[in-house]
Amino acid sequence: MYAIVDIETTGGFAASHRITEIAIYHHDGIRITDSYRSLVNPGREIPYYITGLTGITTEMVMDAPSFEEIAEEVFAKLDGRVFIAHNAHFDYSFIKQEFEMVGVNWQPRKLCTVRLSRKIVPGLRSYSLGSLAESLGIQIENRHRADGDAHATVKIFHELLERDREGHILKALKKNSGETILPPNLPKEEFDKLPSLPGVYYFLNARGQVIYVGKAINIKKRIAGHFSGDAREWSRSKIRNEIHHVTFELTGNELIALILESQEIRRLWPKYNQAQKQKVEEWGLFSYEDRNGYLRFTANIITKGTFPLIRFGNKSDAWNFLWEKVREFELCPKLSGLQIAKGLCFAHQTGECRGACEGVEGAADYNNRLTQAVVSFKASGSSVALIGRGRNIEEQSLVLVDKGVYCGFGYFGRDVAITDFESARTYVRVSPETPIVQNVVNSYLSNPRDVELVVF
């Protein structure tokens, strides 16, 4: 009925490390009915700090079977049984990874004795294997070895079965209960209260410190996605174990969620937000005159000392914006850097070219059209409001941009008319412009989506 498991590994997360030892105990809900244990050759050196913790050395596993060699036997021990482990996701993620490497499909029902213990034996100082065992009067023999820890988990599970007066174990086994995917220390009640709406969410550790900030169009779905089997970047047990609480702030739409996420990361500097701690890469549109007298566009990365006509957060936004201007002002894709292939431009081949590919003769007219296109960029430098969905049906959101520079965001009632820049200012929470936020705003200015663009 149950397979109670513990493993030892070469490191902390499945994507980069391997199993060095595995132990499995079969339990029928009353007693142990079978057991299995084996060292496993991980095909690599075991780090000294792992040896210091487990006592397993590289020499000990040198003649042990690889997981591939025991995969069929391990699968037979696990197949059709409820998988149980202390901090189950850790052990599950490693075994799942090993099975995938040998082409075995394994999708068990799972129970985590950490999560179950928090419900059935609430109020303990710690729910680590050692602390929980001590609290329950269980002695662990051969600590930090798979067989010793698995046998202790068997005893803990037996205690939980005895104490489970409210049926928490059966509830956790129900399909879509969510218990099997959540981090061991995150109360399911907090997860259940999460909204399926746009906003920013915060993961907090046991001391209430924010350790990660994220944004989502659907907060609940996004957070669940972090901990699904497919989210390998979130399989690292370290961050999972540190998450004790989750809070959120609704934003009404993705634009403000993007802005608020960036601002909160800079304000709180959470330890697991790495992406926005890196140097921001910006793209810009530039113009120059070629030797035939034609003005040309080019999209490129903005470097120190360069002065683009307009800025973008990424290459895709820059190219999409440029394509729109090429079509609007009948410009040459080749002279705008959008055609890499040699030869005449696409427009010339379809008979739509207005002379840019015919030599110097049409340069004056072409340059005039390109200059008009540059002037049109200034709309992105106007004072504008980006109006979108609010946090509820009675309000709308407002992002204010003054001459191309982000000012702040806020909310106003649906019965309020935004008619001028100064009145709009009274509704926004002024906040500092940063390269990331400005890139987000520029992206929406060049390609408004789910927002209304109002130019003052």
Side-chain angles (χ1 to χ4, degrees), residues 419-440:
T419 58
D420 61 88
F421 186 80
E422 291 307 315
S423 65
R425 270 186 187 276
T426 63
Y427 295 101
V428 303
R429 180 173 70 187
V430 177
S431 52
E433 176 263 348
T434 67
I436 292 177
V437 170
Q438 189 63 54
N439 285 344
V440 168

Side-chain angles (χ1 to χ4, degrees), residues 123-265:
L124 299 183
R125 175 183 57 84
S126 170
Y127 289 86
S128 68
L129 185 64
S131 296
L132 180 59
E134 182 180 355
S135 298
L136 297 176
I138 295 170
Q139 184 176 354
I140 304 179
E141 298 178 3
N142 211 9
R143 182 76 169 100
H144 294 302
R145 290 295 299 271
D147 187 57
D149 288 353
H151 196 254
T153 306
V154 171
K155 294 178 180 179
I156 288 171
F157 184 62
H158 184 79
E159 282 290 324
L160 297 177
L161 285 170
E162 291 287 319
R163 298 178 183 222
D164 186 17
R165 301 286 184 266
E166 298 181 17
H168 291 294
I169 293 173
L170 288 177
K171 291 176 185 176
L173 284 172
K174 287 182 179 179
K175 189 175 182 181
N176 299 323
S177 71
E179 289 284 359
T180 58
I181 68 166
L182 296 180
N185 299 309
L186 178 63
K188 185 173 183 293
E189 294 75 18
E190 289 190 14
F191 175 78
D192 289 340
K193 292 178 181 178
L194 293 172
S196 299
L197 296 169
V200 170
Y201 56 91
Y202 307 78
F203 290 144
L204 285 66
N205 64 15
R207 297 185 298 277
Q209 298 170 325
V210 176
I211 57 175
Y212 182 82
V213 175
K215 69 89 186 171
I217 298 175
N218 182 323
I219 292 175
K220 190 168 192 172
K221 183 177 180 181
R222 175 58 175 155
I223 289 177
H226 280 315
F227 308 120
S228 71
D230 296 329
R232 298 205 179 276
E233 76 277 12
W234 280 86
S235 294
R236 294 170 170 81
S237 62
K238 188 174 181 181
I239 183 170
R240 289 180 61 90
N241 293 349
E242 287 190 51
I243 298 171
H244 281 68
H245 299 285
V246 57
T247 62
F248 62 89
E249 182 172 342
L250 297 179
T251 61
N253 57 70
E254 186 179 23
L255 170 57
I256 295 183
L258 285 164
I259 293 171
L260 182 59
E261 177 197 37
S262 177
Q263 292 175 346
E264 290 294 78
I265 290 172

Side-chain angles (χ1 to χ4, degrees), residues 381-396:
S382 302
S383 295
V384 303
L386 294 159
I387 298 176
R389 291 190 303 273
R391 297 161 296 185
N392 55 62
I393 60 173
E394 296 179 354
E395 70 176 15
Q396 290 181 288

